[in-house]
Structure formats: C-alpha cells, structure tokens
Amino acid sequence: MNILQITTSVRGDASESTRVTNQIVARLVAANPGATVVRRDFGAQPHPLLDGAALGALFTPADQRTAEQLARVQLDDALILEAQAADVIVLGAPMYNFAMPVQLKSWFDAIARAGVTFRYTETGPEGLLKNKKVYVAAARGGVYEEANDPQVPQMRALLNFLGLTDQTFIYSSGMAMGPDAVANGQAAANAAIEKALA
Ligand SMILES: Cc1cc2nc3c(=O)[nH]c(=O)nc-3n(C[C@H](O)[C@H](O)[C@H](O)COP(=O)(O)O)c2cc1C
C-alpha cells in the first residue's frame, strides 16, 4: 500500500488537522505493515502558487521550455506522480477564512492537469485518478452543519473532478471555541477515525 500524507496547516505542532492525519496514517500502517508513506508538509514548505509564469511554463511545449520553466513544471510533475502512485491519500484540511488553505489549494492546482489527472469527453469531465481512497482531516474553529459548510463542498467537487470519489471526511469542529469544545471536537474526530479505520 502506498500512502500519501499531505499536511497544510501553518500551525506546526499545534495543528489539529495534522494530528488527525498522523493518526490515520498510523492506523493504516499498523494494518498494512509493508506500507510506504510519502509525506508532504506544505504548511512548512509551501508549493509555489499557480501564477502566470507557472501556467506559461506548462503551456510551453516541453522541448521549448527554458531551464526555469522545466524546473517549475517538474515541481508539479512530482506531485502528480505521487498522487498517481498512491493507493490512499490523507489530506490535512484546516479551515482558514471559510476555505481550504492556499497551501492545500496549491496542491490541487499542481495536480489538476488536463489529459493527465482529468479529461473532458463528449459526455463531460472524467477524473483519471481512479481507485484511490481519500481521507480528509477537516479542522475548524467553529461548528458547521453539513448544509452550510463553506469549505467541504468545494473540496468534494475538486476530488470528484479528479476521480477521487471514495472520500471519508473526519471533522474536528469547535477548535476555536474553548477547551471543552476542543476536547469534544478531538474526541469526535478520534471516534470517527476508529469507525472509519476499524
Ligand atoms: C488564519 C485563520 C483563519 C481561520 N478561519 C476560520 C474560519 O473561517 N472558520 C472557522 O471555523 N475557523 C477558522 N479558523 C480556525 C481554524 O480552522 C482552527 O484553528 C483549526 O484548528 C485549524 O486547523 P489546524 O489546527 O490544522 O491549523 C481560522 C484560523 C486561522 C489561523
């Protein structure tokens, strides 16, 4: 089993989403002793933004790219290869300003590549990252009902678009609502991990 662990919190050891991803990965490794784990901590080492230079590099034919453009495309290529090789992807998803952090969005921006991880057919888009399990550790300061969650629908849409349809979201809610709420939110996340990875 190849496990890809992506963490994106900027809060270092205080991060709840990173804590949950670590627990999920530990569970997976315990159940699959031969598993390999590739870790990316974009909170500590952000992937570069999708800017004009990055897009220009991507749309320049490979044999005409400058050394700088080649290097930029290779950064994204590496993330695509990791995602393709993974059987299980474990994503840390803090909620910052009602959305996923830019660190996580940059990972999606890097791996969403036409003809490689998705394509358009006559019947619509087709995700090409198939047969993978995705766990998402969603940590948030508040508590959101599913119907008014501002962050999760976009993540689900992006994952579905790429073919990553087998999703389990683990919620740590109330992380900014005082010690009791933090304890309750963490306990709920721990129970959800137990249930999902029993
Ligand atoms: C810059 C910033 C913005 C935040 N915005 C929100 C928000 O919009 N809604 C919310 O419920 N919590 C928000 N929070 C609280 C975080 O979601 C909470 O601290 C959560 O634990 C973050 O995940 P992490 O611990 O993995 O970093 C924000 C926190 C920070 C630091």
Side-chain angles (χ1 to χ4, degrees):
M1 174 188 277
N2 293 329
I3 303 167
L4 175 59
Q5 178 182 11
I6 307 273
T7 52
T8 62
S9 172
V10 295
R11 298 188 333 109
D13 290 343
S15 166
E16 169 64 8
S17 61
T18 299
R19 181 190 78 80
V20 171
T21 64
N22 285 336
Q23 282 212 14
I24 293 169
V25 170
R27 279 301 189 99
L28 291 168
V29 171
N32 303 276
T36 61
V37 184
V38 172
R39 291 189 170 85
R40 289 273 184 179
D41 181 357
F42 293 124
Q45 283 185 299
H47 193 74
L49 290 178
L50 174 63
D51 59 8
L55 205 59
L58 198 57
F59 285 112
T60 301
D63 59 354
Q64 292 170 33
R65 285 177 188 144
T66 65
E68 198 180 343
Q69 287 178 319
L70 273 174
R72 180 63 186 86
V73 174
Q74 280 166 2
L75 290 178
D76 289 357
D77 288 346
L79 300 191
I80 290 172
L81 288 171
E82 287 170 5
Q84 288 172 327
D87 301 300
V88 184
I89 300 175
V90 185
L91 298 176
M95 183 189 289
Y96 294 153
N97 299 317
F98 294 107
M100 74 178 91
V102 67
Q103 288 80 1
L104 180 53
K105 180 61 163 50
S106 290
W107 178 73
F108 280 111
D109 288 342
I111 67 162
R113 189 179 295 173
V116 180
T117 55
F118 73 88
R119 68 179 169 203
Y120 276 92
T121 69
E122 285 167 5
T123 53
E126 179 189 8
L128 300 176
L129 290 176
K130 292 181 180 174
N131 304 317
K132 300 174 195 302
K133 174 75 196 172
V134 179
Y135 295 94
V136 181
R140 53 272 305 283
V143 178
Y144 300 85
E145 300 297 328
E146 201 171 325
N148 67 11
D149 190 307
Q151 182 203 40
V152 168
Q154 205 214 1
M155 276 192 284
R156 282 200 188 278
L158 263 169
L159 291 167
N160 287 335
F161 181 74
L162 296 171
L164 299 165
T165 54
D166 186 355
Q167 307 156 9
T168 298
F169 280 69
I170 307 282
Y171 295 93
S172 301
S173 298
M175 294 297 108
M177 293 170 60
D180 288 351
V182 169
N184 287 339
Q186 291 184 328
N190 292 342
I193 294 169
E194 292 286 332
K195 195 175 164 198
L197 291 143

